[in-house]
Amino acid sequence: MAFELPQLEYAYDALEPHIDARTMEIHHTKHHATYTANLNGAVEGTELEGQSIETILANISKHSVAVRNNGGGFYNHNLFWTVMSPNGGGKPSGELASAIDKAFGSFDALKETFNKAAATRFGSGWAWLVKQADGTLAVTSSANQDNPLMDIADVKGTPILGLDVWEHAYYLHYQNKRPDYIGAFWNVVNWDEVTRRFKV
Amino acid sequence: MSFELPKLPYALNALEPVISQKTLEFHYGKHHQAYVNNLNNLIKGTEFENADLDTIVKKSEGGIFNNGAQVWNHTFYFMSFKPNGGGEPKGALAEAINSTFGSFDKFKEEFSAAAATVFGSGWAWLVKNDAGALSIVKESNAGNPLRDGLTPILTCDVWEHAYYLDKQNLRPKYIEEFFSILDWDVVSARY
């Protein structure tokens, strides 16, 4: 079965003023759609056809550059849309809040670490909050469309929160001011979804 | 030694509609300027404090390399343009392009394909080696062919900040129009 571009659970303008409608629409209907189509093209007729995206990414060192770039682009944007919500923001609670305090000292310290990872990723890429194999949390960043599920990642684990810092994610609204975009992101983080991913 | 943002030989609106004034205000006025400022701050108290930019590009690593090479790359890129540019190269560069790629159109096709397929942020380059032979190379992020002993002749910036305000996701359209603002006199002189 071919990979499908997911629908968003909110309107393109629902994250304004933090992320503008035009950016959301182009990001979803052009960039994400292209990764999805190119991933399908890259796996069609190969042994990867029918594998889950998670399985493909876990063995990415064995696959082509096209599968790496487009598979990562497909997965990363799928995650990105779900960890944002017009009703987002605030702070996590419960087990996730405890795990954050344990790993970083406080929620504010997590934000600081995550913001730095996102701001200092040179060129295109992503910042991640990752649940590692031993259950502890870590912050990392990856270049281009790589992610922590890939067997080539510096910090491996299950991404539970991701922030796209490709310029296409923010340039129409924030231009060179990436730190402003990163700061605004916290207003739309869907902690229910991040918590769900943490508990899986 | 302190580096400075070079003056552009044209007005910020002179490359419209290919590159808008707004794009140049950010790309030149903010990004290029930030690379200059960062470089000046980073080299203080290091072995590169009094180095020239070519040396920094060839020898440094990490933040000094990223900012130094981005200063070099952007200056090289911005100096390749003029209003009402375009056309084709003449003289020795034209001959070298014809003998290497078959024709100017074939060169454009190969250079455009290289620029379109840099994944993520980066640059496409036309370079020559010590023997004068031309080739096309792709570099990620701040990458610069000087580090491989090659001499840059032409470059196209395919970081999204170079075209996103004007063309959004349509990078191929930006690359196609890029050829219409090139100053081939400047580019040919580099060969």
Side-chain angles (χ1 to χ4, degrees):
Chain A
M1 195 177 82
F3 294 106
E4 284 182 23
L5 181 70
Q7 293 301 304
L8 304 193
E9 296 199 358
Y10 43 83
Y12 289 130
D13 64 1
L15 304 181
E16 292 198 345
H18 309 295
I19 302 182
D20 65 286
R22 186 163 175 241
T23 294
M24 287 296 297
E25 182 167 4
I26 296 171
H27 203 172
H28 181 237
T29 65
K30 304 295 183 187
H31 293 279
H32 196 186
T34 301
Y35 290 126
T36 307
N38 289 346
L39 173 62
N40 285 324
V43 302
E44 193 180 355
T46 75
E47 56 172 5
L48 301 182
E49 203 168 354
Q51 286 188 13
S52 73
I53 188 62
E54 289 84 0
T55 301
I56 290 172
L57 297 178
N59 298 292
I60 206 70
S61 61
K62 302 189 184 85
H63 308 323
S64 68
V65 171
V67 171
R68 174 174 167 179
N69 291 344
N70 294 295
F74 171 70
Y75 178 93
N76 295 346
H77 289 89
N78 285 358
L79 179 143
F80 187 50
W81 310 132
T82 66
V83 298
M84 297 189 292
S85 161
N87 307 311
K91 292 181 177 191
S93 56
E95 280 176 57
L96 177 58
S98 305
I100 287 171
D101 289 345
K102 196 174 165 202
F104 305 100
S106 68
F107 178 62
D108 284 345
L110 159 70
K111 279 174 70 173
E112 198 177 307
T113 306
F114 189 94
N115 289 352
K116 190 175 176 201
T120 58
R121 166 52 54 185
F122 187 71
S124 303
W126 292 75
W128 303 102
L129 176 62
V130 178
K131 183 184 176 187
Q132 302 178 103
D134 64 1
T136 61
L137 295 175
V139 164
T140 187
S141 76
S142 56
N144 294 335
Q145 295 296 352
D146 290 351
N147 73 37
L149 291 175
M150 293 181 174
D151 58 0
I152 52 170
D154 294 334
V155 175
K156 295 183 190 61
T158 305
I160 64 172
L161 177 67
L163 176 60
D164 189 346
V165 292
W166 282 58
E167 288 171 325
H168 66 232
Y170 60 87
Y171 210 82
L172 294 179
H173 192 60
Y174 294 96
Q175 293 87 42
N176 61 307
K177 296 176 285 294
R178 189 194 286 188
D180 289 359
Y181 160 70
I182 296 167
F185 170 67
W186 296 104
N187 295 311
V188 295
V189 171
N190 180 354
W191 287 110
D192 290 343
E193 173 64 13
V194 179
T195 301
R196 188 194 68 75
R197 289 175 181 268
F198 174 68
K199 288 181 173 172
V200 167
Chain B
M1 190 168 91
S2 189
F3 294 98
E4 285 181 16
L5 187 69
K7 295 271 178 272
L8 296 183
Y10 44 81
L12 290 175
N13 65 359
L15 305 180
E16 293 197 343
V18 177
I19 298 178
S20 68
Q21 174 166 339
K22 191 173 180 202
T23 290
L24 274 187
E25 282 170 358
F26 285 105
H27 198 182
Y28 169 73
K30 302 293 183 185
H31 292 279
H32 198 181
Q33 180 72 63
Y35 293 128
V36 170
N37 296 347
N38 291 343
L39 178 64
N40 286 330
N41 289 328
L42 288 167
I43 58 178
K44 275 178 199 154
T46 75
E47 61 183 301
F48 297 106
E49 187 158 15
N50 296 305
D52 63 32
L53 195 55
D54 278 25
T55 302
I56 291 174
V57 168
K58 288 176 187 167
K59 306 284 188 199
S60 67
E61 302 292 340
I64 294 180
F65 170 73
N66 285 342
N67 288 285
Q70 286 294 74
V71 172
W72 199 107
N73 296 352
H74 282 92
T75 299
F76 196 77
Y77 169 78
F78 287 129
M79 294 303 163
S80 309
F81 299 136
K82 68 171 183 182
N84 306 310
E88 299 189 9
K90 297 184 185 72
L93 178 59
E95 286 170 28
I97 284 175
N98 287 335
S99 71
T100 305
F101 303 100
S103 67
F104 179 68
D105 284 347
K106 292 290 286 178
F107 156 71
K108 264 178 77 170
E109 205 176 292
E110 283 190 41
F111 186 89
S112 299
T117 57
V118 171
F119 190 69
S121 302
W123 302 79
W125 300 86
L126 173 66
V127 297
K128 68 168 183 175
N129 66 12
D130 286 345
L134 293 175
S135 60
I136 292 167
V137 297
K138 302 198 276 188
E139 298 278 358
S140 287
N141 295 336
N144 182 304
L146 285 175
R147 285 168 84 84
D148 297 318
L150 299 165
T151 303
I153 308 293
L154 175 67
T155 193
C156 183
D157 187 349
V158 292
W159 283 60
E160 287 172 322
H161 65 228
Y163 61 86
Y164 212 80
L165 294 178
D166 299 329
K167 319 286 185 201
Q168 295 83 50
N169 59 305
L170 305 177
R171 189 195 286 187
K173 186 172 161 62
Y174 155 71
I175 297 165
E176 185 188 336
E177 295 181 10
F178 159 86
F179 284 96
S180 72
I181 52 172
L182 286 178
D183 184 341
W184 282 109
D185 290 337
V186 168
V187 176
S188 300
R190 294 167 178 164
Y191 181 73

